[in-house]
Amino acid sequence: MTDVQKKTYSMTVFGCQMNERDAETLRGFLAELGYEESEAAEGADLIILNTCAVRQKAEEKVLGLIGRLGRLKAKKPELKIAVCGCIVQQPEVAQKIKRKYPFVDLIFGTHNIAAFPQLLQRALESEETVLDLWEEAEGVVEGLPVARQDNIKAWVNITFGCNNFCSYCIVPYVRGRERSRKPEEILKEITLLVEQGYLEVTLLGQNVNSYGRDLPDGIGFADLLARVDRETGVKRIRFTTSHPRDFTAKLAETMARGKNICPHLHLPVQAGSNKILALMNRGYTREHYLERVKMLREYLPGCAITTDLIVGFPGETEDDFAETLDLVEQVSFDAAFTFMYSKRSGTPAADMPNQVPMEVKKERLQRLIALQNKHSLRHNEALLGSTVEVLVDGPSKTDPTVWSGKTGTNKTVNFSGEGISKGQFVPVVIT
Ligand code: SAH
Ligand code: SF4
Ligand code: F3S
């Protein structure tokens, strides 16, 4: 009897946790179809790129990679190449890829992941590129397979899409309108994860705070969070992302009262100047933001706060940027993701006057990072001598001789010790 060689695939995932979570659905389908994942693209029967369009750089990276895959295809004509995710949800970009890289076998968007097995089948049978994009999602599809990459931490979608249309952002165009999953589905999924041994879940949405607005029963995010905490028994609950406009006292209170809700809030502010915030269509002022931070710290003094910041938004003057620095100084974030504004065609900001030159953006970014580093260090130094509870992720990626894990406040801690294993909660003294 001869062994049937299993087909293999390699998948590269760009972008945010939404894409990571979608990739786990694709992996689930592929496992059902009898495919095995391989690390290397070379030699695989199927290569999938799950793409991100949020900044120009991310898009360029993918286009460069597709170009290089052409060489693999030339060596192995039976190789199938699929490109999916946010980049190709833009119809003109999907068409461009199809024209420029005719060796790509399958192109599909963010709304038709559920149809992946049929699409793959079509691509396997076809000589031509199969291109399938849906303009909008058909509500929320439940019951899709999932093959999670980790066995202690899991991503759980609570909403899909975004209705905010921040003027710089491509996400609402490539992820569609906001749809909430039913609370029962979310609770069922998390309960099952706990049964399977998962210790941590991160509730995912572009704006988790608007969870439930499209549901009939009047449930909001704070209610959902409290129910996950009360009813599922999961040991650590995280969520991302919170929109400052919709961050309520009720949510701060729920976090403070929660048993297993991690004391960490990711609250992207984007900019510190009211003029820029208005141009960004963010729907809040710096005063509102600072007031929410103050409120949260009153409810939950030990809560870590992290943020996202964009420098060089069109029209940002040196004075506007100084207001961003001032806000960063005032809040003293535990950590921040900092970005240079990137023009996304089709978004309102792309056509705004007074685009900021690259050199100015670079210089502002450096100043912002230097300031944030000072605050990150300050927060880390404050932990010196204290004992923190760390959930062990495994050996450190940078130094496999030590263990690595995260605190409830989402700080990475590297440490050594005897009898440690992944998935343990360990008290660690910070030195
Ligand atoms: N929904 C989340 C995250 C969206 S994308 C939120 O609202 O916070 C993650 C981050 O990418 C954003 O917070 C923003 O800081 C950044 N970003 C989005 N579009 C961008 C653009 N055109 N240029 C630079 N940064 C951008
Ligand atoms: Fe983009 Fe704004 Fe939606 Fe976040 S809230 S995904 S930044 S449009
Ligand atoms: Fe990128 Fe799409 Fe996420 S554009 S940031 S992968 S929603």
Side-chain angles (χ1 to χ4, degrees), residues 323-341:
E323 292 204 61
T324 296
L325 293 177
D326 180 68
L327 183 137
V328 169
E329 186 71 40
Q330 277 194 48
V331 175
S332 185
F333 294 105
D334 288 75
F337 294 106
T338 50
F339 307 103
M340 285 188 280
Y341 168 71

Side-chain angles (χ1 to χ4, degrees), residues 13 16 54 76 82 132 143 160 202 209 238 269 273 285 329 388 408:
V13 188
C16 68
V54 79
K76 182 177 174 176
D132 193 31
F160 299 92
T202 304
N209 297 351
R238 300 185 187 280
V269 65
S273 131
T285 58
E329 186 71 40
V388 293

Side-chain angles (χ1 to χ4, degrees), residues 162 164 166 168 206-210 241-248 251 265-268 281-284 288-289 292:
C162 183
N164 285 313
C166 302
Y168 50 82
Q206 296 297 347
N207 175 15
V208 292
N209 297 351
S210 54
T241 301
S242 267
H243 194 298
R245 183 196 55 217
D246 307 319
F247 185 77
T248 57
L251 180 51
L265 180 71
H266 186 60
L267 196 65
N281 192 31
R282 288 291 286 176
Y284 55 86
H288 171 99
Y289 187 89
R292 294 298 146 122

Side-chain angles (χ1 to χ4, degrees), residues 242-346:
S242 267
H243 194 298
R245 183 196 55 217
D246 307 319
F247 185 77
T248 57
K250 183 173 173 187
L251 180 51
E253 192 182 352
T254 305
M255 289 177 73
R257 287 212 183 140
K259 204 158 60 99
N260 294 334
I261 303 168
C262 287
H264 169 218
L265 180 71
H266 186 60
L267 196 65
V269 65
Q270 313 298 359
S273 131
N274 283 337
K275 179 190 101 190
I276 297 299
L277 287 170
L279 286 172
M280 285 178 162
N281 192 31
R282 288 291 286 176
Y284 55 86
T285 58
R286 71 181 268 128
E287 292 76 22
H288 171 99
Y289 187 89
L290 290 168
E291 187 269 314
R292 294 298 146 122
V293 166
K294 185 161 160 269
M295 174 187 80
L296 176 67
R297 287 186 169 148
E298 276 161 13
Y299 276 107
L300 200 57
C303 191
I305 305 179
T306 56
T307 201
D308 292 350
L309 293 152
I310 297 176
V311 301
F313 185 84
E316 185 188 74
T317 62
E318 186 53 35
D319 283 351
D320 295 319
F321 177 62
E323 292 204 61
T324 296
L325 293 177
D326 180 68
L327 183 137
V328 169
E329 186 71 40
Q330 277 194 48
V331 175
S332 185
F333 294 105
D334 288 75
F337 294 106
T338 50
F339 307 103
M340 285 188 280
Y341 168 71
S342 170
K343 214 174 181 178
R344 308 316 289 131
S345 79

